[in-house]
Amino acid sequence: MRELPELKINADLSHWCCVTESMLEDHAEAIELAATRTIHIHSRVGYENGPQVSDPRAPEWAEHLAKFETWWKMIIDEHTKRGEKELTVTPEYGPPSYMQTIPFTNKPVADLWEVCLWSAERFRNFALI
């Protein structure tokens, strides 16, 4: 991104976590730079071992959700600082088997539609803060 200052990105940070097998603790500078280049947010919560948590509403994922919301807020703030009027967001979680499933049944661990609707509403409310 330093070499291509005109480059704009989709901030799909869930995959950054999965690929680095971390919550990006050692990548603050990269996230800050990415925030200045983001024109779209993929608002899916990931974790150290996968691109999407089983259900972002579950209390065991609260810390991960809070971390992602911190990053998204940084992106929104940068976007506002640049005076840009639009920032697009996709509150998408993947279907089974991208979403974790229960062994031997292949049933999803959460209702995908409910998770996506909850994620969209949470982001709307969060973005207004």
Side-chain angles (χ1 to χ4, degrees), residues 38-113:
T38 297
I39 60 171
H40 180 81
I41 297 173
H42 194 163
S43 64
R44 174 180 54 218
V45 176
Y47 66 111
E48 298 88 335
N49 301 113
Q52 82 181 30
V53 298
S54 56
D55 188 331
R57 302 170 295 182
E60 58 267 29
W61 297 115
E63 288 183 29
H64 290 74
L65 176 61
K67 178 64 99 172
F68 273 82
E69 288 180 338
T70 298
W71 295 331
W72 298 333
K73 179 71 170 129
M74 181 188 314
I75 291 167
I76 292 167
D77 291 348
E78 284 291 330
H79 205 76
T80 302
K81 188 166 56 173
R82 290 192 306 267
E84 299 194 22
K85 302 286 185 217
E86 284 186 0
L87 175 64
T88 57
V89 178
T90 303
E92 179 262 337
Y93 283 75
S97 66
Y98 201 83
M99 173 183 275
Q100 293 87 342
T101 58
I102 299 169
F104 303 103
T105 67
N106 206 31
K107 291 183 181 176
V109 297
D111 182 299
L112 177 61
W113 185 242

Side-chain angles (χ1 to χ4, degrees), residues 105-124:
T105 67
N106 206 31
K107 291 183 181 176
V109 297
D111 182 299
L112 177 61
W113 185 242
E114 287 180 15
V115 168
C116 290
L117 290 176
W118 177 89
S119 183
E121 187 62 25
R122 174 123 181 157
F123 195 94
R124 263 189 221 101

Side-chain angles (χ1 to χ4, degrees), residues 17-33:
C17 292
C18 180
V19 169
T20 63
E21 296 182 337
S22 75
M23 287 305 291
L24 308 175
E25 295 88 352
D26 297 331
H27 303 283
E29 184 181 330
I31 293 171
E32 289 169 10
L33 179 57

